[in-house]
Amino acid sequence: MKNDPSRRKILSMGAGLATLTACTSKQEAPSQVGAALSPYGNRSPHETAKRLPPPADSKTPATGGSRTPLQDSYGTITPSSLHFERHHAGIPDIDPARHELLIHGLVEQPLVYSLEDLKRFPATTRVHFVECSGNGGAEYTAAPGATAQVSHGLASCSEWTGVPVKLLLAEAKLKPEAKWVVAEGGDACKLARSIPLAKLMDDAMIVYAQNGEAIRPEQGYPMRLLLPGWEGNSNVKWVRRLHATAEPAQTTHETAYYTDLMPDGKSRQFSFELETKSVITRPSGGQKLTGGQGDYEITGLAWSGRGKITRVEISLDGGKTWKDAELTQPIHAKAFTRFRMPWSWDGAAVTMQSRASDDTGYTQVSQDELAAARGRNYRYHNNGIKVWYIQSDGSVSHVAQV
Ligand SMILES: Nc1nc2c(c(=O)[nH]1)N[C@H]1C(S)=C(S)[C@@H](COP(=O)(O)O)O[C@H]1N2
Ligand SMILES: [Mo]
C-alpha cells in the first residue's frame, strides 16, 4: 500500500484539503472598519520579499548591485520596487524639468530634447528584461549562488515606455560616416558606452516610464537608454548625451570592464547580446518543501537576449532525461518567460535543473560545457545551467558544478 503511487497521491491531496478547511474555519471577519485609503499604495506588511543591497557597514553603499528576489516572484513582471540595481556612482537626484538629452557629433542637426519634447514623439511600450552581464558570475566557481536571488537576481523584467532612438536620430540627420553612438549618463561617473548604430536603428529606446509610471530613480529617472537583450551596462541610465562617431570611444566600461578574457589571452570586446538563460525559482535554494511527499509545481524564469524563448525542459535525474515544461503565454522577445511543470514528489532526494532554448535554435549547456568552449578566466556572460538539490527532508540547496 505504502508504495502505491496512486494511493499516495490521493492521501496527499486529502491532507491538502484538510488544511484548507482548517484555514477557512480559523478566519474571522473583521469587526472594525479597516485602514484608511491612501494616495500611493504599499504592499501588505506580511510580505517580506526584498532586494539584497550592499551590507549596512559597506564603505561604498552607493555602488555595487542589489538583487531581485526571483525566488519570490510570480508571473514575469518585476515590481519596480524590486528591480535589481547596479550603480557605479550612486543614484543622482535629477529634476526632470532641467534634464536634457543632447544629440550631437556626426549629425547634420545637433539637437537638445527635454523630457516634455520626448513625450511629443510617438511612444512605444514593450516588455523587456534588463540583465547585468555579471549575473551568474560566481556560477563557474565552487560556491555558486545559494539562492536564485544570489545566482540570477541581477536580472529583472519590466514594461517600458519611451521613444524609439531611430526617430530621434532621424531628426538629427546622421552623417554617412556615423557608425557608432556613444551614450553618456548623468551620474557622477558619467558612465559611457559605444553602441553600434545598427542596434540604435533597430529596437533601442529612450524610456521614461516603467510598469505604468515614471521610471524609478534607481532605473535612470527621468530617462534611460534601453537596448533590449543587450548587457545591462550598455543600457545607460540618466542618459544625457548621444554622440555619433565613426569609431567606438573605448571608454572605461568597454575596456577595463565588461570584456571577456579568453583562454588564448585575448579579450572578447563588445559582446553585447545576452544568451539564453533559465533558473528554477520554486523550489529553489534556501526554500523547503514543507508538505512532504505529494504534488507541487516546479516553476521558473527563462529569457534570451536574442529573441523568444521557444522551449524549457526540466531534468530530475541529473540531466539524463528531460521533460518539456509549459510556457506561460504570451511570450515576448527578449523578455522573462514563465515556465511551469506539475510534479509529484516521492520524498526521495533529487537534483533539479532547467535548460531553455530560443528561436535562434540555441539551447543552454552545462557549466562544464560552457567552460570547455570559453575557459574559466572571466566572470561575465555566464549562461550555464543552474542545478538545485532537494534533500529528502525537503530543503533545497545549490549544486557546485566544478
Ligand atoms: N549612468 C549609468 N548607467 C548605468 C549604470 C551606471 O552605474 N550609471 N550601471 C549599468 C549597469 S552595470 C547595469 S547592469 C544596468 C543596471 O540597470 P538597473 O540598475 O536599472 O537594474 O545599468 C547600467 N547603466
Ligand atoms: Mo552590469
Side-chain angles (χ1 to χ4, degrees):
M1 179 75 88
K2 198 160 171 250
N3 293 323
D4 174 356
S6 61
R7 164 85 180 150
R8 204 157 53 220
K9 196 162 177 177
I10 291 165
L11 275 176
S12 70
M13 296 283 278
L17 283 179
T19 323
L20 265 185
T21 320
C23 283
T24 316
S25 61
K26 260 193 252 165
Q27 211 171 335
E28 279 173 33
S31 55
Q32 287 173 335
V33 174
L37 295 78
S38 66
Y40 197 85
N42 269 311
R43 66 179 169 178
S44 159
H46 302 287
E47 293 300 311
T48 54
K50 52 178 180 287
R51 296 193 285 228
L52 277 182
D57 62 353
S58 164
K59 295 207 166 54
T60 55
T63 58
S66 69
R67 294 161 186 261
T68 294
L70 295 178
Q71 69 281 4
D72 301 316
S73 66
Y74 306 96
T76 54
I77 299 293
T78 310
S80 303
S81 49
L82 294 175
H83 194 288
F84 86 95
E85 302 162 88
R86 177 74 180 97
H87 316 311
H88 295 258
I91 308 163
D93 176 12
I94 297 177
D95 176 355
R98 299 188 53 194
H99 184 83
E100 288 177 334
L101 175 65
L102 167 67
I103 302 186
H104 67 149
L106 295 172
V107 297
E108 302 290 349
Q109 180 59 63
L111 290 167
V112 173
Y113 291 111
S114 69
L115 179 61
E116 286 312 306
D117 294 335
L118 288 189
K119 289 182 180 172
R120 293 171 61 188
F121 280 85
T124 306
T125 294
R126 284 204 308 256
V127 175
H128 288 302
F129 72 84
V130 175
E131 180 183 22
C132 180
S133 53
N135 200 23
E139 298 302 291
Y140 271 144
T141 68
T147 66
Q149 181 161 24
V150 173
S151 66
H152 288 74
L154 290 175
S156 305
C157 187
S158 297
E159 187 207 71
W160 304 97
T161 296
V163 195
V165 174
K166 62 181 171 210
L167 296 185
L168 304 177
L169 294 179
E171 292 284 305
K173 298 190 185 65
L174 287 168
K175 292 186 175 165
E177 314 90 89
K179 295 285 179 288
W180 294 75
V181 170
V182 185
E184 183 190 76
D187 49 345
C189 67
K190 300 186 181 64
L191 187 138
R193 287 294 304 257
S194 313
I195 314 298
L197 191 58
K199 180 65 174 177
L200 299 173
M201 300 308 280
D202 180 20
D203 57 359
M205 297 161 78
I206 300 289
V207 293
Y208 45 76
Q210 172 187 11
N211 299 331
E213 63 179 353
I215 187 171
R216 293 271 165 132
E218 299 97 304
Q219 267 66 64
Y221 184 88
M223 58 183 73
R224 95 178 294 166
L225 177 62
L226 188 80
L227 302 177
W230 280 25
E231 68 176 1
N233 189 264
S234 59
N235 292 246
V236 175
K237 300 188 281 191
W238 315 293
V239 64
R240 64 172 193 174
R241 203 153 71 92
L242 297 177
H243 187 206
T245 58
E247 302 285 343
Q250 306 293 353
T251 68
T252 309
H253 284 94
E254 58 206 24
T255 51
Y257 306 99
Y258 301 102
T259 60
D260 301 323
L261 185 58
M262 294 284 109
D264 64 2
K266 289 189 179 157
S267 274
R268 203 164 66 139
Q269 193 187 18
F270 300 124
S271 41
F272 291 111
E273 241 176 11
L274 293 162
E275 289 169 304
T276 312
K277 207 178 243 188
S278 68
V279 61
I280 295 171
T281 55
R282 199 171 59 241
S284 64
Q287 296 177 335
K288 189 164 182 179
L289 300 177
T290 48
Q293 61 184 46
D295 291 342
Y296 292 89
E297 183 182 64
I298 301 172
T299 183
L301 292 164
W303 60 97
S304 165
R306 296 186 169 161
K308 287 187 182 182
I309 292 297
T310 51
R311 184 178 197 191
V312 177
E313 297 155 279
I314 291 174
S315 174
L316 300 168
D317 57 9
K320 288 199 242 353
T321 61
W322 296 84
K323 241 181 100 177
D324 276 279
E326 185 193 320
L327 303 182
T328 304
Q329 304 290 329
I331 297 170
H332 298 289
K334 307 171 188 179
F336 277 4
T337 299
R338 173 66 62 177
F339 62 87
R340 308 171 191 277
M341 194 176 87
W343 174 53
S344 190
W345 185 39
D346 63 6
V350 59
T351 62
M352 192 173 267
Q353 58 196 306
S354 61
R355 71 174 181 205
S357 306
D358 68 17
D359 58 5
T360 67
Y362 176 93
T363 299
Q364 262 186 290
V365 298
S366 69
Q367 293 292 339
D368 279 344
E369 287 170 274
L370 205 60
R374 300 178 185 173
R376 290 194 189 275
N377 287 336
Y378 69 92
R379 14 176 224 116
Y380 300 116
H381 305 107
N382 182 334
N383 72 319
I385 288 172
K386 178 72 179 173
V387 187
W388 300 119
Y389 178 68
I390 305 182
Q391 290 175 39
S392 52
D393 73 353
S395 55
V396 191
S397 52
H398 64 269
V399 176
Q401 296 298 294
V402 290

